[in-house]
Amino acid sequence: MPEPPAVELVDLRKSFGDVVVLDGLSLRVPMGGVHALLGPNGAGKTTTVRILATLTRPDAGSVRVAGHDVLRERRRVRRTISLAGQHAALDDEQTGAENLTMLARLTGLSRPAARERAATLLERFDLTAAAGRRVRTYSGGMRRRLDLAASLVGTPSVIFLDEPTTGLDLRSRQGLWEMIGELARAGVTVLLTTQYLEEADRLAERIAVLHGGRLAAEGSAADLKRRYGAQRLELTWADTAGYAVAAARLGDRVIHQEPARRELAVATDGSAPHVRHLLDEVDPDRHGVVRFTVREATLDDVFLTLTSAATRPDPEVAGV
């Protein structure tokens, strides 16, 4: 039998009162690797994770994790997964070692086995030196590392990370990124939600963009950039008059502008002939443009394209 997907959602729906949060979301996440859910606030990311973790019941639709139905097989799902939410679920008055040992005991391990498991995780997440300190003395980065360690006490095959690096400084975020990569290389399937597009670009093999409670697009970062994030030619003018003339000439082809800095951008395919043609069109006497840059598409461009207006699910997405 082929291996079931880590996550399979079909026509998932959820409302809170009159507010529709998930409106027919369908998504398939294969086993292995890091997968990201992106979307603006209110897109349904956290609600989706809570449903997958059996913490919230869907109103309709089919939801399976590692082949198990989240409603009919809740216990099997819970034995398969782990969840690290937006806020560290730790006891501040216990030490790091005590937190992990307690959780290991709750999974059914004996006292010696629980202490051994806690020690292994503390070493893995570079927390051995702080193992005997109360968690309330930990920095934000240390707390998030301990929370991630706690989510691995039961050796899950699928782990959900909901905004795992929110509030962390750059060094702490990069450290956590390395640990998430290690989890994936060890065979754990990681599904993370994040507001940091750089995080998704760096970590995720596949990215799903949610908008309005539905799947707007799905694919690798490179694929999404190719389909939704056009390259742009960014131009800076010497004077305001020249800038105004160029902006009027380009009209609705302008995809970004900053009048105060006399800057505007227009889509391009990045080729030398097209860039040269655009420069000749907007600055025929070659005295107005003082600087130009061809910028590659980013996930920011993809995100803004897919979420700036009502977006229908991408017909190229399998299963939608």
Side-chain angles (χ1 to χ4, degrees):
M1 293 291 290
E3 185 177 43
V7 167
E8 189 170 29
L9 309 175
V10 179
D11 200 24
L12 181 60
R13 299 179 183 276
K14 182 64 182 179
S15 298
F16 295 99
D18 295 331
V19 179
V20 177
V21 179
L22 297 173
D23 186 22
L25 174 62
S26 294
L27 178 66
R28 190 178 189 273
V29 176
M31 282 286 191
V34 180
H35 310 267
L37 288 181
L38 300 181
N41 291 333
K45 303 185 301 296
T46 295
T47 299
T48 299
V49 169
R50 288 184 60 84
I51 290 173
L52 290 169
T54 75
L55 299 177
T56 298
R57 292 180 65 89
D59 295 335
S62 171
V63 185
R64 302 181 74 85
V65 176
H68 305 303
D69 187 278
V70 300
L71 295 180
R72 296 193 298 269
E73 302 173 277
R74 293 179 65 193
R75 289 188 178 182
R76 286 192 175 185
V77 170
R78 289 182 175 184
R79 285 196 294 266
T80 301
I81 68 168
S82 188
L83 168 65
Q86 294 181 22
H87 305 287
L90 304 166
D91 186 339
D92 283 351
E93 297 307 312
Q94 288 189 328
T95 66
E98 288 170 343
N99 267 277
L100 297 185
T101 302
M102 175 188 68
L103 291 171
R105 289 284 288 153
L106 290 173
T107 67
L109 294 182
S110 65
R111 288 185 185 277
R115 287 195 292 269
E116 182 178 354
R117 180 65 178 156
T120 299
L121 289 168
L122 289 165
E123 181 178 4
R124 182 176 183 181
F125 286 90
D126 195 24
L127 290 168
T128 301
R133 287 169 44 191
R134 294 183 189 276
V135 172
R136 58 181 167 81
T137 69
Y138 283 20
S139 67
M142 292 170 66
R143 289 174 64 89
R144 293 305 289 170
R145 296 207 307 274
L146 183 62
D147 194 39
L148 189 54
S151 70
L152 295 174
V153 165
T155 60
S157 61
V158 181
I159 182 169
F160 303 119
L161 303 179
D162 192 16
E163 308 283 359
T165 61
T166 296
L168 298 187
D169 58 50
L170 179 58
R171 186 177 299 277
S172 296
R173 284 173 59 201
Q174 290 177 334
L176 204 58
W177 290 349
E178 292 177 5
M179 293 174 187
I180 292 171
E182 289 175 7
L183 290 178
R185 289 190 291 274
V188 178
T189 303
V190 180
L191 179 65
L192 66 89
T193 72
T194 180
Q195 294 287 349
Y196 298 116
L197 301 183
E198 177 193 4
E199 186 165 274
D201 201 353
R202 173 168 172 169
L203 293 176
E205 298 170 19
R206 303 287 291 180
I207 298 170
V209 183
L210 306 189
H211 182 52
R214 306 188 74 187
L215 182 63
E218 189 268 345
S220 67
D223 184 42
L224 292 175
K225 290 173 189 177
R226 176 183 60 80
R227 285 153 53 195
Y228 301 104
Q231 297 181 72
R232 62 173 65 176
L233 175 65
E234 298 179 337
L235 304 164
T236 303
W237 260 261
D239 56 68
T240 302
Y243 167 85
V245 170
R249 182 174 293 160
L250 290 170
D252 59 9
R253 286 184 289 165
V254 174
I255 57 178
H256 177 75
Q257 56 185 323
E258 294 187 38
R261 301 175 62 175
R262 302 186 302 280
E263 295 177 353
L264 60 78
V266 60
T268 175
D269 62 13
S271 68
H274 192 232
V275 170
R276 187 178 299 112
H277 171 77
L278 287 170
L279 288 170
D280 289 341
E281 178 184 358
V282 299
D283 188 21
D285 60 6
R286 302 187 180 185
H287 295 304
V289 174
V290 294
R291 183 170 59 255
F292 73 88
T293 303
V294 177
R295 189 168 71 84
E296 296 292 328
T298 67
L299 275 186
D300 296 65
D301 302 320
V302 173
F303 186 87
L304 291 173
T305 297
L306 291 170
T307 64
S308 60
T311 306
R312 294 178 180 270
D314 185 348
E316 295 185 29
V317 177
V320 177

